[in-house]
């Protein structure tokens, strides 16, 4: 139980996917810095991460023990098609939810955070529960970072940021300072 | 109702500028002498401008109607003097633009005695006749907004007015014209209020006065007659206590929903000066041809409270009371918080001109503007609970659409934010820019 | 023939500076930041990416007529993933220590949008030689960015370059440089410098043009 | 009476203004910090002055180099760079090499202020950005605490202060542990009296609780300070420390210790209240304060570091745009207005 | 990411307007072909590199085990099944193995036990040698950690700290004390400034002991070295 808790905290704060592992930066830098978009993207990513954890566990347990060399390809294919399938389901049964989250789904399946989760869950030998908790922590952490960054970016829009630094450079530096602030979480709950 | 409110009698937020009323509070109202030239702009009220009904060269009597209303939200004009119509053309107005006005040359030999007529039989007038009479008298809100008064009295079916609220807050610093009226004509004020209350069918008259005018409160209380249903309510001294929504919040603890009017919470609000004008018309048959103006400010040689015929050039008013001091840099028409600067001393006194304030270097020296440090003083000052800091920054970034999300249009430009800003940011002007942009865009879209 | 050569040179050179995938197009940020805490790691990542990009571009350009439009993305991904797996195993066999440092980020080359982007935007529409030149240029540009970042971070963060000690034992390393915030901050500042160069260059060109105009 | 019309200005109303200006508010903070600064020199000797000067120099020089030139050299005059440098200096350990203090000052202004567009535009507290950078960059130097010098050691300068630029401090200095360090790693408490007076090891300006509070009261009386923020931080910290202390009093310190130890007072009175980086709405200020309080207890009690004030404030700085957005007051006459 | 994801996204809506010359069947065939070729390529490289990779891993493992078990130069993998610690060559992952080290003569030196747990930054993975007859830890090697460079990374870079684990009694349990305060056989001098990382190492060893000590057979009853099992066959896969 302790272990699950730490996996969660670690993925959420200490080793935040965006701020410590640089994962999912493309959506951060590329997709608009609007708060609302960032939040929905975060939720959709959390959702896909959970599916990824399930898929990865399934593949690791039943398929890859026979063909470990196919891990990369099978992760990509299985995750992409599962998400596609779920996207269709959502579209059919809840158009509202689809409008809110669905448009992000195809964007996310090729996100490096997804692949990273599958690979590191495999490397660390996580079971199903651990994988899901890992995905949940990573997803919420991703959402947290995205929402904080989007809020900061929106605010920075109103600032006199020098023209030379406006844009990606500024966004990276904001992320850098936030990443510095997240260093305060290092060692959290590891001594208990 | 919040029990604390009974003690405070105030609204939330707002600012506490120095009153600065000492200059004129004790000076009785004096009449300025007649001069030889008067200018009556046709659009000195909110709504459609009036239409001149006199011709150039025509002789007019003091109090004679010279322009007619052109719409329901519009009103009439009356000649402030006996004399001749000399011109009807564009004149430079306060903000420097040209607007049509009637120029009247006073007859130097006329007595200029106002023709006090018999009281109108207001008791027998129907509400419609009453409203028509108010429009005929050209009466507008005298507090500064100059909104045609009869419009306020036209209550749509289904709405009922319970309270007539007389606004004697006079929260703008320097101004004392309402204060003097309350002191000098308490009976007329109470009688005028009684006329309006009866006609619009309100149950009670409530007169709100800030507690920095204890003599006015005292005198009004003493003069209330037993048959008058009047309550005098002392109010906390705070700006903008005199804004009608704030006043209603202070006295009745009711917030008027955005976009609605006082009548929607069963209240009708009128300024002290307006009530006096109504009294003058119904009891003495004098239409709106003059008003009380406070001349004050550090640049005024001899501050005064004056009865000024409408249309008198500011220059003449100032000349009467000793003119401007050498160091005067700016003249404001209205109060120091919301009044408007005038570009020339030739502009006339209008129906809405409550004061002429002269300011010197000390008040107008361009203050160094610092970046907004988001200290939040404006947020705590804004009586409408807006976020002026953010609105100003959005305006600077020309993000006008985002300004709308922050309820830009709810701003009444009371100036509390600019007053409280330690960084000297002209927040109100920035907000006005945003409003103008959105309005213009709406117009071009249509 | 000369013209083709010129064009090939153009395709090559644009990736290094004018359309640099990192500094200009801001692609492939994840490996860019995650593995550049030392120049060696940056080099290894750059090499692996080079291999994958050039290999995939070659294959895609070779088979561009066979690949149907509707399934092109899937086919590209399969091709890229194959090269990535090859690179992954090769690195693991040859330089296990580096492979361990890079960890999961080698497989993540699949998710590097720069690679897929080149297939979609260029390789699938051009001849084999052009596609390869373009890929080499882009990969070189990517490598250049990785090495710049990796060198700066290693020099300041560890006092060394490619593991060679530069300043002696008394040097106080700037540890933040090899931590995640250092990655963000350094890349941000490098982009700032890059912008500054671009602006200065534009100003210079304007000045020269103006001078020419006034002299003529 | 002037017959000649004055050349009238058309400056917009309101022409009246309350008295306070932004540079004045900044100066007030400097005055409030003066006793604390003197105490730092008293406790840690001449070296303290050097460290403070180095960090102020770094800040001022950077401001002058980058920000001032565009804006006509004036931005140095508003005193904010000086304040940032001083605040950063007060959070540094006494024995820090001067070049690091200088670098910290430069980073404070460079990363914390200039790139955002100068005063009023930054979203993180500049002094804390500088400190976070230093702590992440030189973790050992930043957590090596020189002991108090005492009354007769006024002219002491720590040898580590004088390390050459880019070089380590070399000699093994005499060190002592901060009250928080003692608590966290050795479960040793420090008498409250010492914490209030300030004769404990720690960063230059954080030791004397009494003087810090006195400066805070001065600022509050001058209306330069949003009192809600320090009050909510300290109350939150007291409540949560009390709860933890009840659970396990050997591991978790009592509430008063929590309030008077480490950078709690310096941070909550002088850094968290930085108007630029804290919420503008009153409700937001409460949320901000409670957030800082919760985070600091979380980091101190369960994190890897003995102190978490800096990180808590930076994290809440990051959340400030969100807090502001969701605590916009209800506009007059909107929402539940129809009652 | 945006560029290609948009195209991925638009691939969906484009599906209905199928171009006549490429019916679905051909698409599937194309994809299947691509998959087949790629599968073959991947399998090929896997087969080619597998021996080297396996050997690398085995070498790393051997070096680690021999480092934490001074004197040992042979090892065999043990797993715990059905209440019994038995040698195995199986590479399955379900059960965490430990390693028994033997000297040249084939006599037992000690166990090398892998452990892992949260450190200051991320999971720390380590291997420590345990000598059952003296109830002592006789060596410790950090295999994986992301501890702060210059500070937390002293858990493997600081020789003094590592030396703590050469002769460390585990009774009643290992405890960390402030640097220089070590006075008992079960105490470890913490690293100044990296207390959390030092404590993490000790805690991981203690926790791993809790799991394994009860599973180990009585001293003297250790499983003998089975000659059939060559070291090369030791796949180190499980040490990841």
């Amino acid at each position: 139980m302790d272990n699950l808790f730490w996996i969660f905290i670690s993925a959420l704060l200490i080793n935040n996917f965006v701020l410590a592992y640089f994962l999912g930066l493309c959506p951060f830098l590329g997709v608009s810095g609007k708060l609302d978009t960032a939040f929905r993207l975060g939720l959709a990513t959390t959702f896909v991460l959970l599916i990824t954890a399930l898929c990865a566990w399934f593949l690791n347990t039943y398929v890859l023990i026979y063909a470990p060399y196919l891990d990369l390809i099978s992760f990509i294919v299985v995750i992409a098609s599962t998400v596609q399938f779920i996207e269709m389901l959502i579209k059919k049964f809840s158009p509202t939810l689809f409008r809110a989250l669905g448009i992000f789904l195809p964007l996310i399946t090729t996100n490096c955070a997804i692949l990273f989760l599958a690979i590191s869950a495999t490397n660390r030998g996580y079971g199903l529960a651990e994988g899901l908790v890992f995905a949940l922590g990573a997803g919420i952490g991703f959402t947290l970072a995205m929402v904080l960054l989007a809020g900061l970016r929106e605010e920075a829009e109103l600032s006199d940021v020098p023209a030379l630094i406006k844009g990606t450079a500024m966004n990276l530096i904001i992320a850098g300072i936030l990443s510095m602030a997240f260093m305060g979480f290092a060692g959290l709950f590891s001594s208990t | 109702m919040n029990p604390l409110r009974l003690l405070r009698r105030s609204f939330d937020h707002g600012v506490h500028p120095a009153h600065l009323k000492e200059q004129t509070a004790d000076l009785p109202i004096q009449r300025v002498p007649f001069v030889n030239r008067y200018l009556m702009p046709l659009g000195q009220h909110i709504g459609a401008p009036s239409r001149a009904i006199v011709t150039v060269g025509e002789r007019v009597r003091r109090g004679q109607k010279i322009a007619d209303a052109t719409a329901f939200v519009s009103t009439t004009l009356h000649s402030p003097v006996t004399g001749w119509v000399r011109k009807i053309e564009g004149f430079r107005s306060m903000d420097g633009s040209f607007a049509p006005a009637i120029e009247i040359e006073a007859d130097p030999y006329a007595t200029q005695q106002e023709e006090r007529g018999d009281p109108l039989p207001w008791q027998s007038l129907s509400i419609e006749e009453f409203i028509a009479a108010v429009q005929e008298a050209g009466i507008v809100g005298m507090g500064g907004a100059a909104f045609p008064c009869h419009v306020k009295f036209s209550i749509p079916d289904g709405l009922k007015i319970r309270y007539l609220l007389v606004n004697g807050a006079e929260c703008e610093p320097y101004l004392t014209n309402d204060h003097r009226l309350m002191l000098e004509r308490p009976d007329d004020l109470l009688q005028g209020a009684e006329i309006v209350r009866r006609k619009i069918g309100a149950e009670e008259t409530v007169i709100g006065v800030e507690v920095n005018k204890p003599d006015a409160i005292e005198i009004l209380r003493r003069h209330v007659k037993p048959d008058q249903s009047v309550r005098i309510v002392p109010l906390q001294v705070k700006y903008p206590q005199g804004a009608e929504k704030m006043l209603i919040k202070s006295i009745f603890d009711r917030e008027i929903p955005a976009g609605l009017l006082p009548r929607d919470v069963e209240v009708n609000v009128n300024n002290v000066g307006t009530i006096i004008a109504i009294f003058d018309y119904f009891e003495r048959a004098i239409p709106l041809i003059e008003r009380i103006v406070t001349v004050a400010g550090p640049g005024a040689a001899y501050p005064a409270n004056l009865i000024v015929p409408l249309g008198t050039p500011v220059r003449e008013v100032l000349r009467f009371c000793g003119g401007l001091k050498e160091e005067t840099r700016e003249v404001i028409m209205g109060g120091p918080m919301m009044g408007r600067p005038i570009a020339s001393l030739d502009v006339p006194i209008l129906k809405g001109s409550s004061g002429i304030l002269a300011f010197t270097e000390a008040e107008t020296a361009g203050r160094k503007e610092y970046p907004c440090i988001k200290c939040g003083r404006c947020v705590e000052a804004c009586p409408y609970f807006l976020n002026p800091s953010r609105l100003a920054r959005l305006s600077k970034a020309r993000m006008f659409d985002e300004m709308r999300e922050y309820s830009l249009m709810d701003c009444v430009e009371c100036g509390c934010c600019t007053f409280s800003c330690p960084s000297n940011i002209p927040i109100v002007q920035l907000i006005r820019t945003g409003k103008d942009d959105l309005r213009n865009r709406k117009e071009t879209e249509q | 023939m000369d013209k083709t050569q010129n064009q090939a040179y153009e395709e090559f050179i644009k990736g290094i500076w004018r359309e640099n995938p990192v500094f200009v197009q801001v692609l492939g940020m994840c490996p860019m930041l995650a593995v550049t805490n030392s120049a060696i790691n940056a080099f290894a990542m750059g090499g692996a990416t080079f291999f994958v990009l050039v290999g995939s571009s070659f294959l895609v350009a070779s088979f561009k007529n066979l690949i149907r439009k509707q399934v092109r993305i899937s086919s590209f991904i399969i091709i890229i993933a194959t090269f990535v797996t090859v690179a992954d195993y090769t690195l693991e066999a040859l330089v296990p220590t580096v492979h361990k440092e890079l960890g999961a980020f080698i497989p993540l080359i699949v998710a590097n949008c720069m690679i897929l982007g080149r297939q979609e935007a260029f390789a699938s529409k051009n001849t084999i030689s052009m596609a390869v030149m373009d890929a080499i240029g882009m990969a070189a540009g990517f490598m250049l960015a990785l090495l710049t970042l990796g060198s700066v971070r290693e020099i300041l963060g560890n006092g060394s370059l490619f593991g060679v000690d530069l300043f002696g034992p008394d040097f106080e390393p700037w540890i933040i440089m090899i931590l995640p915030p250092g990655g963000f901050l350094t890349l941000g500042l490098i982009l700032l410098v890059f912008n500054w160069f671009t602006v200065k260059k534009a100003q210079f060109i304007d000045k020269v043009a103006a001078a020419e105009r006034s002299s003529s | 009476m002037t017959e000649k019309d004055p050349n009238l200005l058309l400056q917009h109303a309101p022409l009246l203004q309350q008295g306070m200006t932004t540079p004045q508010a900044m100066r007030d903070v400097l005055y409030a910090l003066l006793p604390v600064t003197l105490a730092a020199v008293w406790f840690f000797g001449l070296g303290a002055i050097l460290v403070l000067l180095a960090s102020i120099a770094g800040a001022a020089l950077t401001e002058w180099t980058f920000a001032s030139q565009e804006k006509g050299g004036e931005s140095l005059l508003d005193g904010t760079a000086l304040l940032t440098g001083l605040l950063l200096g007060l959070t540094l350990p006494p024995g820090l090499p001067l070049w690091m203090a200088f670098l910290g000052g430069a980073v404070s202004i460079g990363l914390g202020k200039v790139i955002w567009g100068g005063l009023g535009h930054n979203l993180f507290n500049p002094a804390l950005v500088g400190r976070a950078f230093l702590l992440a960059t030189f973790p050992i130097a930043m957590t090596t605490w020189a002991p108090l010098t005492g009354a007769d050691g006024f002219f002491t300068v720590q040898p580590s202060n004088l390390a050459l630029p880019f070089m380590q401090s070399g000699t093994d200095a005499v060190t002592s542990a901060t009250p928080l360090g003692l608590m966290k790693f050795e479960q040793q408490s420090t008498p409250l009296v010492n914490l209030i007076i300030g004769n404990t090891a720690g960063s230059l300006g954080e030791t004397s609780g009494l003087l810090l509070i006195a400066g805070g009261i001065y600022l509050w009386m001058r209306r330069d300070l949003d009192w809600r923020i320090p009050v909510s931080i300290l109350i939150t910290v007291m409540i949560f420390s009390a709860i933890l202390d009840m659970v396990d009093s050997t591991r978790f310190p009592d509430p008063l210790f929590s309030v008077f130890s480490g950078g709690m007072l310096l941070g909550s009175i002088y850094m968290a209240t930085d108007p630029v980086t804290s919420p503008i709405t009153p409700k937001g200020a409460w949320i901000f304060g409670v957030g800082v309080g919760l985070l600091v207890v979380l980091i101190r009690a369960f994190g890897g570091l003995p102190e978490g004030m800096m990180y808590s404030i930076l994290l809440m700085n990051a959340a400030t745009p969100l807090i502001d957005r969701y605590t916009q007051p209800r506009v007059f006459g909107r929402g539940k207005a129809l009652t | 990411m945006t560029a290609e994801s948009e195209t991925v996204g638009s691939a969906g809506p484009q599906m209905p307007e199928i171009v006549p010359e490429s019916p679905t069947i051909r698409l599937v065939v194309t994809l299947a072909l691509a998959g087949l070729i790629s599968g073959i390529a991947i399998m090929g490289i896997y087969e080619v590199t597998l021996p080297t990779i396996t050997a690398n891993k085995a070498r790393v493992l051997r070096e680690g085990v021999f480092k934490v078990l001074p004197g040992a130069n042979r090892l065999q993998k043990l797993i715990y099944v059905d209440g019994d610690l038995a040698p195995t060559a199986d590479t399955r992952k379900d059960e965490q193995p430990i390693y028994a080290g033997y000297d040249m003569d084939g006599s037992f030196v000690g166990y090398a036990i892998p452990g892992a747990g949260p450190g200051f930054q991320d999971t720390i993975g380590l291997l420590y040698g345990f000598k059952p007859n003296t109830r002592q830890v006789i060596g410790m090697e950090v295999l994986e950690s992301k501890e702060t460079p210059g500070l937390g990374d002293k858990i493997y870079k600081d020789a003094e700290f590592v030396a703590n684990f050469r002769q460390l009694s585990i009774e009643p349990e290992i405890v960390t004390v402030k640097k220089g305060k070590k006075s008992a056989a079960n105490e470890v001098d913490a690293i100044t400034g990296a207390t959390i990382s030092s404590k993490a190492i000790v805690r991981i060893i203690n926790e791993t002991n809790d799991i394994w000590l009860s599973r180990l057979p009585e001293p003297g009853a250790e499983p003998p070295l089975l000659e059939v099992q060559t070291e090369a066959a030791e796949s180190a896969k499980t040490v990841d």
Side-chain angles (χ1 to χ4, degrees), chain B residues 258 315 330 364 377 410 423, chain D residues 5 11 17 22 223 333-334:
Chain B
R315 181 188 306 283
E330 176 161 355
T364 54
R377 285 174 202 228
D410 287 23
S423 285
Chain D
D5 274 4
Q11 190 170 317
Q17 265 182 326
T22 298
R223 282 194 68 224
R334 294 202 179 267

Side-chain angles (χ1 to χ4, degrees), chain E residues 9-220:
Chain E
S10 58
Q14 278 176 11
M15 281 309 233
E17 36 148 322
I18 287 174
V19 194
E21 71 254 25
S22 52
T24 320
I25 194 88
R26 281 195 61 182
L27 298 179
V28 173
V29 168
T30 319
L31 269 186
L33 209 67
L36 193 69
I37 295 169
S38 111
I40 292 168
I42 289 173
M43 232 168 89
I45 190 81
Y46 180 71
E47 291 300 332
V48 171
T49 54
L50 187 62
T52 332
I53 292 173
T54 319
N56 281 341
K57 284 185 173 170
R59 186 171 46 80
V60 169
L61 175 70
R62 249 192 348 263
E63 281 169 4
V65 169
F66 296 161
K67 216 180 234 172
V68 300
L69 292 175
N73 48 21
R74 292 173 174 197
L75 62 90
Q76 79 178 342
K77 179 154 62 173
L78 307 171
I79 58 164
Y80 187 72
V81 261
D82 310 327
D84 197 24
L85 201 60
T88 176
D90 196 1
T91 55
R92 296 225 354 228
K93 286 187 179 182
D94 330 8
E95 198 56 50
Q96 179 72 265
I98 63 172
Y99 306 91
Y102 306 87
D103 63 14
M104 287 301 269
D105 311 329
S107 51
F108 178 77
V109 177
Y111 299 105
I113 310 176
F120 187 66
Q121 201 50 249
D122 208 343
T123 306
I124 298 177
L126 56 76
L127 189 68
Y128 64 95
F130 176 66
K131 204 167 185 180
N133 51 3
T134 59
R135 311 282 290 167
Q136 272 179 334
V137 169
I138 54 171
M140 186 276 298
E141 167 97 342
V142 174
L143 301 176
E144 187 193 337
S145 95
K146 287 207 177 73
E147 301 301 281
T148 322
L151 213 54
D153 68 353
K154 286 189 183 162
I155 53 173
Y156 56 92
K157 285 193 175 158
D158 184 349
E160 261 181 71
F161 179 74
V162 178
N164 273 309
F165 298 89
R166 298 261 162 75
Q167 210 174 358
L168 182 65
S169 171
I170 61 156
E171 302 304 18
E173 63 164 3
I174 311 171
V175 291
T176 348
V177 296
K178 203 179 164 192
K179 182 158 186 169
K181 295 270 173 67
K182 175 172 171 138
S183 58
N186 66 330
E187 286 177 349
V188 170
D189 272 337
I191 302 163
T192 315
T195 322
I196 295 284
S197 303
S198 324
K199 281 190 170 174
I201 299 285
V202 168
R203 197 189 56 247
I204 293 168
I205 297 181
N206 280 332
E207 277 172 6
T208 318
N209 278 342
D210 287 346
I211 300 169
W212 282 101
L213 289 191
S214 58
R215 295 180 178 179
L216 300 178
E218 288 296 307

Side-chain angles (χ1 to χ4, degrees), chain D residues 92-97 135 138-147 160 169 171-178 201-202, chain E residues 192-193:
Chain D
L92 299 177
L96 192 74
L135 185 57
F138 311 115
I140 300 170
M142 283 292 287
T143 49
T144 307
W145 310 96
S160 55
S169 46
T171 50
D172 269 331
V174 191
T175 63
S176 61
T178 63
Chain E
T192 315

Side-chain angles (χ1 to χ4, degrees), chain B residues 351-428:
Chain B
K351 289 179 177 179
S353 309
S354 49
I356 299 175
L357 303 177
F359 290 98
T360 60
E361 187 71 28
E363 293 79 28
T364 54
R367 298 181 188 85
K368 181 163 166 42
E369 186 182 332
Y370 294 95
C372 173
I373 57 164
K374 302 169 198 164
C375 63
R377 285 174 202 228
C378 53
V379 175
E380 289 191 51
C382 180
Y384 283 83
F385 294 78
L386 303 173
N387 187 340
S389 150
R390 192 168 188 90
L391 286 171
R393 282 186 296 138
L394 285 167
S395 176
K396 278 188 175 171
R398 308 194 64 75
M399 294 164 76
F400 300 125
D401 289 313
E402 284 77 4
M403 289 178 83
R404 204 193 318 239
E405 285 165 33
Y406 282 87
S407 309
L408 166 71
M409 287 304 184
D410 287 23
C411 172
V412 298
E413 303 171 21
C414 66
C416 286
C417 44
T418 310
F419 172 81
S420 60
C421 180
S423 285
N424 300 326
I425 298 168
I427 305 176
V428 177

Side-chain angles (χ1 to χ4, degrees), chain D:
Chain D
M1 171 79 207
T2 52
E3 273 308 316
K4 186 167 64 79
D5 274 4
N7 193 7
L8 291 180
L9 294 170
L10 287 176
Q11 190 170 317
H12 288 279
L15 285 181
L16 300 182
Q17 265 182 326
Q18 49 80 44
M20 180 61 69
T21 66
T22 298
Q24 219 172 316
M26 297 294 162
R27 275 197 296 277
D28 280 347
V29 185
L30 285 174
Y31 298 149
L33 284 170
L34 203 63
V36 180
T37 312
L38 292 177
V41 179
W42 175 258
F43 289 129
F44 299 107
L46 208 55
I49 298 185
L50 294 180
V51 172
L52 291 175
L53 284 181
S55 101
I56 291 174
L61 213 65
T62 314
E63 176 86 23
W64 182 75
T65 315
F66 292 106
S68 276
Q69 294 190 340
E70 283 173 32
K71 293 168 187 167
E74 284 178 10
S75 71
L76 203 55
L77 297 178
D78 62 24
T80 48
L82 189 70
L83 180 59
T84 301
L86 178 65
L87 276 174
L88 170 70
L90 290 175
T91 63
L92 299 177
L96 192 74
L98 296 181
W99 71 269
M100 291 183 187
F102 182 88
L103 178 72
V107 170
S108 288
I109 295 294
L111 275 189
K113 198 168 142 195
V114 170
I115 61 153
W116 300 88
L119 174 65
H121 296 293
N122 52 306
L123 301 181
F124 292 94
N125 184 312
L128 291 181
V129 169
R131 185 172 198 271
F133 180 86
L134 284 181
L135 185 57
T137 309
F138 311 115
I140 300 170
M142 283 292 287
T143 49
T144 307
W145 310 96
L148 293 160
T149 54
D152 48 342
F154 180 74
F155 291 100
T156 350
V157 174
Q158 303 296 333
S160 55
N161 280 147
L162 303 174
L164 290 173
F166 299 98
M167 293 298 143
Q168 286 168 356
S169 46
T171 50
D172 269 331
V174 191
T175 63
S176 61
T178 63
L180 277 173
L182 286 173
M183 186 72 217
K184 178 147 198 125
F185 299 121
E186 288 160 51
Q187 279 78 44
Q188 270 178 38
S189 196
T190 309
L192 195 60
V193 184
N194 296 2
L195 295 174
I196 291 175
I197 295 173
N199 50 348
T200 58
S203 299
L204 289 173
E206 72 181 23
T207 58
S208 174
L210 194 66
L211 294 178
L212 287 165
I213 291 179
I217 291 174
Y218 169 75
L219 288 180
W220 173 69
M221 291 195 319
R222 300 274 300 160
R223 282 194 68 224
D224 291 328
L225 180 99
D226 190 346
W227 58 274
R228 297 174 187 91
I229 292 176
V231 166
S232 54
I233 294 177
L234 297 179
I235 289 180
T236 312
V237 167
M238 298 233 312
I239 292 175
F240 281 86
S241 307
I243 294 172
L244 286 176
D245 190 45
M246 271 191 276
V247 173
D248 182 352
S249 62
T250 52
R251 250 189 79 200
F252 304 116
D254 60 273
L256 281 178
F257 177 90
S258 302
V259 165
F260 281 99
S261 58
M264 182 66 76
L265 289 170
L266 183 66
S268 54
I269 296 174
Y270 300 93
M271 311 238 179
T273 51
D274 171 12
V276 182
T277 54
S278 61
I280 196 166
T281 61
K283 207 201 284 175
W286 288 110
I287 296 175
F288 181 86
V290 171
V292 171
L294 284 179
L295 283 171
V296 80
V297 175
L298 180 78
I299 294 177
R300 279 186 179 186
F302 301 104
L305 304 160
E307 173 60 310
M309 200 59 199
M310 171 187 82
Y311 290 117
S312 311
I313 296 176
L314 282 175
L315 288 164
M316 290 313 287
N317 283 166
T320 293
L322 302 181
I323 296 177
D324 262 342
R325 169 185 289 248
Y326 292 109
T327 55
Q328 287 299 322
R330 182 184 58 82
V331 172
F332 186 91
R334 294 202 179 267
K336 60 164 177 118
L338 254 180
T339 48

